[in-house]
């Protein structure tokens, strides 16, 4: 098996649409193919980069006029898994799938785009491996593995727009590792990939806004020596995406300066773009803002009509561990150490309270999700989940993708809701991702009789599974019950207790009940 599915993430971002500051013209949509960046031109170490964004103005939210349900997207993270080449290369990539039945055209378009994306990833991985082998043979020291990771994040998803940002990280033998960001945006109703021109008559407004931004940054000591030479080139082939605040234009390394000073994301509020196509606008307050590492956002978190600057800061120390902190103006909260941030959002709940939700990889895919309240302008930890990462978000609920080890289980998902500063489960049990479709994973097989309850005619009755029976874990409360299916689809449940990390079934250790329990860590 060349790849290994690790997680399926459901990301639901509910946004309203409106006509704030927009024209009534509706340009014809066209489809463009996104291109893989020139790897030889990207050479900077992304872990040391500083990304900044400028956010001003207000946007608003209202119920979508179409009345349709918002698109729901599932994002799967997949490791490149080719053992013979592990000494030369490792990597991962994300894929998005539209799971909402209301958007067949969007689903087809997203499926097609990511199918090409996956093919391009493997072509790139094959090149990286061959280049790495050549480099390893020609140098007298160990440069370490080549790698390429592709992270995807949905930044806006409503009945009109589905926008995704792709963050590429890698090393291919150059002086530094590389980093590159770009976005792809679809018309949710037609599935057409939206071009920069489809956004309306915005180029000159964007250029004016960015020029003013650059001048302000120069006053703070940034040179941006290549800005005048490159601004038109960047806007002719822009990297951009849409979110709850506006149009986000990405200026990758070397766009502003001859040396890789930083990747810069400039957010232009919809209200600052009078020529913006009103089909794609928002109306109302932004309830969701996607946060990126070292990106500063100006948002009124405490409803005092004065905006606070929020920044999720992640700086690497000498041990290559990220020191993660959240800043609100001059107040800082130390979150902890991690290897990378996987997902982060600012969200304003319906009761007016403001939170920052951040998930990070604490160590070796051990994910943590933090709920930090910022309603008063002072960041304070409200809740923490030591076993999962943020996957879904709305005004009153989020989803968490978890790593659970219960009789050979693996990744699971659960929906939570905000309640008095805590994350309260919306369901009784975690649902395992892929469940019976884990074709590349070994399932538990009984080696003795195991007492269970089997569903028959809608009721659970006590039975025993004979030795040699394969089960497929499908859900669990992670405390005392595991739901499973047999190979013929019959549903059953196992009652258990945990003692010092070991599961016991009818006072018998799990290892005495099952052959070779798969490792789920």
């Amino acid at each position: 098996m060349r790849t290994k599915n690790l997680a399926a993430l459901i990301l639901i971002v509910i946004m309203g649409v409106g006509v704030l500051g927009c024209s009534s013209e509706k340009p014809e949509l066209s489809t463009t193919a996104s291109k893989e960046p020139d790897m030889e031109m990207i050479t900077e170490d992304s872990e040391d980069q500083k990304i900044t964004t400028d956010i001003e103005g207000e946007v608003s939210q209202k119920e979508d006029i179409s009345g349709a349900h918002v698109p729901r997207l599932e994002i799967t993270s997949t490791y490149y898994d080719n053992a013979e080449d592990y000494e030369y290369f490792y990597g991962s990539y994300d894929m998005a799938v539209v799971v909402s039945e209301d958007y067949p055209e969007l689903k087809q378009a997203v499926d097609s785009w990511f199918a090409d994306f996956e093919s391009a990833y493997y072509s790139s991985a094959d090149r990286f491996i061959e280049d790495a082998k050549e480099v390893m043979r020609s140098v007298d020291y160990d440069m370490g593995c080549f790698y390429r990771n592709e992270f995807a994040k949905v930044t806006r998803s409503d009945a009109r727009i589905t926008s995704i940002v792709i963050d590429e990280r890698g090393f291919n033998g150059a002086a530094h590792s590389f980093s590159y960001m770009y976005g792809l945006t679809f018309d949710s109703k037609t599935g057409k990939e939206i071009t920069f021109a489809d956004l309306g008559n915005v180029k000159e407004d964007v250029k004016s806004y960015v020029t003013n931004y650059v001048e302000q940054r120069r006053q703070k000591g940034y040179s941006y020596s290549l800005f005048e030479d490159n601004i038109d080139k960047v806007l002719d082939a822009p990297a951009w995406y849409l979110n709850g605040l506006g149009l986000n234009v990405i200026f990758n390394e070397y766009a502003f300066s001859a040396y890789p000073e930083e990747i810069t994301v400039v957010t232009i509020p919809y209200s600052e773009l009078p020529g913006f196509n009103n089909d794609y606008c928002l109306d109302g307050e932004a309830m969701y803002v996607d946060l990126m590492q070292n990106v500063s956002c100006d948002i009124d978190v405490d409803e005092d009509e004065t905006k606070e600057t929020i920044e999720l800061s992640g700086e690497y120390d000498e041990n290559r561990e990220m020191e993660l902190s959240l800043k609100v103006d001059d107040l800082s909260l130390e979150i902890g150490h991690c290897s990378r941030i996987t997902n982060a959002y600012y969200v304003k709940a319906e009761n007016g309270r403001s939170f920052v939700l951040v998930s990070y990889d604490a160590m070796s895919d051990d994910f943590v999700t933090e709920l930090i309240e910022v309603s008063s302008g002072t960041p304070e930890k409200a809740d923490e989940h030591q076993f999962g990462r943020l996957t879904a978000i709305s005004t009153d609920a989020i989803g968490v993708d978890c790593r659970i080890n219960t009789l050979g289980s693996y990744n699971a998902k659960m929906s939570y809701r905000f309640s008095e500063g805590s994350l309260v489960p919306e369901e009784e049990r975690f649902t395992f991702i892929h469940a019976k479709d884990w074709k590349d994973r070994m399932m538990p097989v009984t080696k003795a009789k195991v007492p269970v309850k089997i569903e028959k005619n809608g009721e659970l009755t006590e039975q025993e599974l004979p030795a040699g029976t394969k089960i497929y874990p499908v859900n669990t409360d992670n405390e005392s019950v595991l739901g499973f299916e047999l190979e013929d689809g019959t549903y059953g449940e196992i009652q258990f207790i945990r003692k010092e990390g070991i599961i016991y079934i009818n006072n018998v250790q799990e290892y005495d009940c099952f052959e070779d329990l798969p490792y789920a860590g």
Side-chain angles (χ1 to χ4, degrees):
M1 180 67 65
R2 197 178 194 192
T3 63
K4 186 178 295 181
N5 287 327
L6 295 182
L9 315 181
I10 297 178
L11 179 54
I12 312 165
V13 184
I14 303 175
M15 296 290 187
V17 292
V19 295
L20 181 62
C22 296
S23 71
S24 61
E25 296 180 4
K26 300 178 181 179
E28 183 180 353
L29 300 181
S30 60
T31 302
T32 59
S34 300
K35 294 182 178 180
E36 184 182 23
D38 185 349
M39 311 308 286
E40 296 181 356
M41 297 298 293
I42 307 170
T43 58
E44 172 58 4
D45 190 338
S46 63
E47 294 176 338
D48 296 327
Q49 72 187 7
K50 179 79 170 179
I51 306 177
T52 60
T53 183
D54 182 55
I55 299 177
E56 296 178 357
E58 294 287 346
V59 295
S60 57
Q61 179 184 18
K62 68 178 182 181
E63 184 179 357
D64 191 277
I65 61 174
S66 71
H69 296 294
V70 298
R72 299 181 59 180
L73 282 83
E74 178 180 278
I75 297 180
T76 60
S77 298
T78 302
Y79 277 160
Y80 179 94
D81 187 11
N82 192 336
E84 65 176 299
D85 293 320
Y86 180 76
E87 62 179 306
Y88 302 109
F89 176 82
Y90 67 90
S92 66
Y93 61 94
D94 289 349
M95 298 274 286
V97 178
V98 177
V99 297
S100 304
E101 296 181 357
D102 295 340
Y103 295 88
E105 293 84 2
L106 177 64
K107 174 176 173 54
Q108 182 179 1
V110 173
D111 285 349
S112 177
W113 193 94
F114 276 97
D116 292 341
F117 172 83
E118 183 176 41
S119 177
Y121 179 87
Y122 277 107
S123 295
S124 174
D126 291 342
R127 293 199 308 271
F128 273 38
I129 290 170
E130 292 306 311
D131 291 345
K133 290 178 179 179
E134 184 66 28
V135 169
M136 297 301 181
R137 288 193 292 264
S138 63
V139 297
D140 296 328
Y141 60 92
D142 182 11
M143 295 182 64
C145 290
F146 284 29
Y147 67 91
R148 182 169 182 173
N149 298 317
E150 305 269 1
F151 305 109
K153 181 179 182 179
V154 178
T155 60
R156 180 178 159 186
S157 180
D158 54 55
R160 293 180 173 180
I161 288 294
T162 296
S163 198
I164 303 170
V165 66
I166 307 293
D167 185 0
E168 299 183 348
R169 312 282 180 95
F171 175 68
N172 62 344
H176 304 280
S177 58
F178 65 81
S179 168
Y180 189 83
M181 289 174 58
Y182 62 97
L184 61 148
T185 298
F186 298 91
D187 184 302
S188 296
K189 298 170 186 173
T190 67
K192 298 279 186 163
E193 188 173 352
I194 297 173
T195 69
F196 192 69
D198 292 326
L199 299 180
N201 185 20
V202 299
K203 181 177 179 180
E204 291 305 315
D205 290 330
V206 170
K207 184 175 180 178
S208 175
Y209 193 96
V210 174
T211 298
N212 181 60
Y213 169 84
V214 166
E215 290 305 316
Q216 293 179 14
R217 299 286 286 173
R218 281 173 169 167
Q219 293 176 14
K220 297 180 180 180
Y222 292 83
S223 67
Y224 291 160
S225 58
L226 297 181
F227 171 72
E228 283 77 12
D229 293 336
N230 287 342
I231 179 62
D232 287 319
K233 298 175 184 177
V234 170
L235 294 182
D236 284 340
W240 59 274
Y241 62 93
L242 301 177
N243 67 3
L245 291 174
L247 168 63
N248 302 266
V249 181
I250 305 165
F251 294 87
N252 282 293
E253 296 162 351
Y254 302 102
F256 279 164
S257 302
Y259 53 94
E261 189 170 62
E262 61 184 21
I263 291 178
T264 302
V265 179
V266 181
T267 301
I268 302 98
Y270 297 114
S271 58
E272 296 290 331
L273 299 169
F276 197 89
N277 185 348
N278 67 348
D279 280 351
Y280 306 141
C281 283
L282 293 173
D283 183 21
E285 184 182 6
M287 302 299 292
Y288 312 88
V289 179
D290 53 290
L291 301 179
M292 297 184 185
Q293 177 184 334
N294 298 329
V295 174
S296 60
C297 298
D298 293 333
I299 304 173
D300 183 6
V301 302
D302 52 9
E303 298 186 331
D304 64 354
E305 299 184 356
T306 301
K307 292 182 180 180
E308 287 74 33
T309 299
I310 298 178
E311 182 176 351
L312 191 60
S313 177
E315 303 295 339
Y316 285 89
D317 60 21
E318 64 276 5
N319 297 319
R320 308 306 292 171
E321 288 187 333
M322 182 187 295
E323 297 177 350
L324 183 60
S325 63
L326 177 67
K327 297 178 182 178
V328 180
D329 285 341
D330 296 328
L331 301 176
S332 180
L333 174 67
E334 298 298 323
I335 298 175
H337 287 78
C338 66
S339 60
R340 64 183 176 95
I341 299 170
T342 61
N343 222 335
Y345 286 89
Y346 164 84
V347 59
K348 195 164 189 177
E350 288 182 335
N351 60 8
R353 297 172 69 181
S354 299
F355 296 87
V356 168
L357 291 159
V358 56
S359 297
Y360 55 89
D361 186 350
M363 181 180 66
S364 301
D365 290 340
D366 290 330
F367 299 105
V368 175
T369 292
E370 300 270 10
L371 173 63
I372 302 168
E373 185 163 7
V374 295
S375 303
S376 66
T378 301
E380 299 177 344
K381 286 190 178 183
D383 202 359
E384 177 180 279
H385 284 255
Q386 289 284 354
F387 50 78
R389 55 181 165 181
L390 173 67
T391 61
I393 189 165
S394 70
T395 54
D396 61 357
I398 72 164
V400 175
D401 160 40
C402 312
R403 197 60 67 80
I404 293 177
N405 190 352
T406 302
L407 299 178
S409 66
Y410 201 51
N411 282 21
K413 57 186 176 183
M414 169 70 81
S415 294
Y416 293 79
R417 60 181 171 83
F418 292 116
S419 178
E420 298 182 355
S422 296
L423 300 177
V424 179
E426 284 275 273
E427 304 162 281
E428 293 184 356
R429 299 183 188 179
F430 297 90
T431 300
F432 293 114
I433 299 166
H434 299 310
K436 200 172 179 179
D437 293 329
W438 288 339
K439 296 182 177 65
D440 59 338
R441 291 187 59 79
M442 179 176 59
M443 293 296 101
V445 179
T446 59
K447 68 177 181 181
K449 291 182 179 180
V450 176
V452 299
K453 292 182 178 181
I454 295 295
E455 185 178 59
K456 187 175 182 180
N457 298 325
E459 294 185 359
L460 292 171
T461 59
E462 293 185 357
Q463 293 188 25
E464 286 185 336
L465 294 180
T469 303
K470 180 183 290 188
I471 70 170
Y472 296 84
V474 294
N475 62 63
T476 185
D477 62 0
N478 205 30
E479 295 179 358
S480 62
V481 180
L482 174 81
F484 65 89
E485 285 186 2
L486 301 177
E487 291 188 278
D488 64 1
T490 300
Y491 178 77
E493 293 183 354
I494 297 175
Q495 305 289 323
F496 66 86
I497 61 172
R498 286 186 195 269
K499 294 180 181 179
E500 298 180 350
I502 303 296
I503 286 178
Y504 291 82
I505 303 169
N506 198 25
N507 295 320
V508 179
Q509 278 197 21
E510 57 187 314
Y511 303 107
D512 293 327
C513 296
F514 292 91
E515 299 275 1
D516 300 322
L517 279 170
Y519 173 62

